[in-house]
Amino acid sequence: MTGTTHDGFFTPVSGVDLPRFAGIPTFMRLPHVPFDHARFGEVEIGLIGAPWDGGTTNRPGPRHGPRQLRDLSTMIRAKNGATWVAPFELCKCADLGDVAPNPADLMDSLDRMEAFYAKVKAAGVVPLTGGGDHLCTLPILRGLARGGEALGLIQFDSHTDLNDVYFGTGKYTHGTPFRRAVEEGLVDPKRYVLVGIRGTAYGREDWDFAEANGIRIIAIDEFHRRGPEDVMEEVRSIVGTKPTYVTYDIDFVDPTFAPGTGTPEVGGPNSWAALLVARLLKGVDVVGADLVEVSPPFDTVGGTAWLGVNLMFEMLCVMAERVAERRG
């Protein structure tokens, strides 16, 4: 599917016109189009930074993720070398900037992010976010699903993030967002699937919650045994044809390939399988997606962020095809 839909304003700067190390870095070298920009009303897919890690319970750092993701994304080119999808030709994409958190107030940050994404949704823009820790996904879901039909959810992760409370009172951490999302009716548990879960555990409370609510968990041993293609066929059948959100925690990937994250777990997929599962989202009605938990302090050379922006590009290709289909 090809064909430029715009006058060139939304075309990324090419590396043959300006060196990759020059210019102001935006996501994938797209134009920066904030809410008050004259052409904001034309944007179809908005790339957004969520520089906040107020939900982190151990190693901090994902607040710096969006900046490193933007810097590394200058290496992204115009076409997908595997599928030949050209997302920047299919629809109008732009960097909408960052949602501004309040690092001194967790609840205010959640409210700020929800309001930001509600505004994005009201404008008809499909968001693709670079985080931030995984608690960021909760206010995004609130902004996109509040007052409407519950969304399907595809979660690539090494942890369920379905826990209830941390430290006796902590209901809002990067280990609890999807428990809250199900409780708040933002996500349809029957159309919710987690892929890649592994590692040691506190107990079975999160798994018991999933089983009681009809949430499908595909643990890493099953993923490796069946392979990405077979697993993703089931994933697509679970979410069906209704609107679905995709959340991709970089710790889904084995830390050999993505060490820059706060809570790594061994035994995950390699970088090729990580890219493949994103590519196999094709056909899903993706109404928003994120890539979270990139923590630059633990991978200063940027390999984790480089993998992260490639994952974002794969999801962008799927989203752009879907936006073009809706328009057509």
Side-chain angles (χ1 to χ4, degrees):
M1 186 180 292
T2 59
T4 302
T5 63
H6 49 82
D7 59 10
F9 174 81
F10 292 97
T11 301
V13 177
S14 171
V16 300
D17 296 324
L18 182 70
R20 301 287 175 183
F21 52 81
I24 298 173
T26 58
F27 274 121
M28 304 181 193
R29 308 192 100 187
L30 289 162
H32 178 213
V33 182
F35 289 140
D36 59 356
H37 193 283
R39 302 194 67 167
F40 174 74
E42 301 175 49
V43 178
E44 294 173 295
I45 297 180
L47 283 77
I48 300 163
W52 186 68
D53 57 8
T56 301
T57 58
N58 186 24
R59 304 197 302 181
R63 67 181 62 186
H64 303 291
R67 185 165 293 185
Q68 191 184 46
L69 288 165
R70 280 191 174 93
D71 195 21
L72 272 295
S73 77
T74 60
M75 280 297 296
I76 294 294
R77 301 177 181 89
K79 296 181 187 293
N80 188 313
T83 64
W84 296 111
V85 173
F88 310 119
E89 295 179 15
L90 288 175
C91 57
K92 297 174 182 177
C93 305
D95 187 328
L96 305 189
D98 286 346
V99 53
N102 178 350
D105 190 326
L106 184 151
M107 300 307 291
D108 183 52
S109 291
L110 293 175
D111 290 343
R112 289 179 180 214
M113 283 189 272
E114 179 183 350
F116 185 101
Y117 284 91
K119 192 170 183 179
V120 169
K121 179 187 178 183
V125 177
V126 178
L128 174 57
T129 303
D133 72 35
H134 222 157
L135 184 56
C136 292
T137 308
L138 177 61
I140 296 173
L141 290 170
R142 286 173 174 172
L144 298 182
R146 186 79 80 189
E149 183 180 5
L151 297 172
L153 181 64
I154 299 170
Q155 178 183 343
F156 300 106
D157 210 325
S158 63
H159 313 99
T160 66
D161 297 344
L162 285 170
N163 296 298
D164 190 11
V165 177
Y166 277 55
F167 313 111
T169 60
K171 294 178 72 70
Y172 297 99
T173 78
H174 65 170
T176 67
F178 305 109
R179 180 74 159 253
R180 304 285 89 83
V182 171
E183 291 172 346
E184 294 176 21
L186 308 174
V187 170
D188 179 356
K190 301 298 191 297
R191 297 181 55 241
Y192 176 10
V193 56
L194 301 88
V195 182
I197 309 306
R198 62 188 186 273
T200 56
Y202 295 116
R204 286 196 55 89
E205 180 197 16
D206 51 344
W207 284 72
D208 291 342
F209 178 84
E211 184 177 359
N213 287 275
I215 299 167
R216 172 72 164 112
I217 296 178
I218 300 174
I220 198 63
D221 56 341
E222 181 179 352
F223 177 86
H224 286 312
R225 185 175 67 253
R226 294 173 57 188
E229 291 89 349
D230 187 42
V231 165
M232 290 306 297
E233 183 177 357
E234 181 186 355
V235 168
R236 293 191 300 270
S237 70
I238 289 171
V239 297
T241 59
K242 292 184 178 181
T244 298
Y245 190 86
V246 178
T247 184
Y248 202 126
D249 189 325
I250 197 68
D251 71 28
F252 168 72
V253 189
D254 191 89
T256 303
F257 304 92
T261 190
T263 317
E265 300 287 356
V266 298
N270 62 22
S271 57
W272 167 247
L275 292 168
L276 185 57
V277 296
R279 194 172 296 153
L280 291 172
L281 292 166
K282 182 179 175 66
V284 176
D285 186 13
V286 180
V287 296
D290 62 50
L291 185 284
V292 298
E293 295 285 0
V294 170
S295 186
F298 300 106
D299 184 8
T300 55
V301 298
T304 304
W306 177 225
L307 174 58
V309 295
N310 277 273
L311 292 168
M312 290 179 71
F313 183 74
E314 291 290 349
M315 291 190 286
L316 176 64
C317 290
V318 171
M319 295 162 71
E321 286 193 304
R322 185 59 183 150
V323 168
E325 288 170 3
R326 291 195 203 101
R327 187 197 320 114

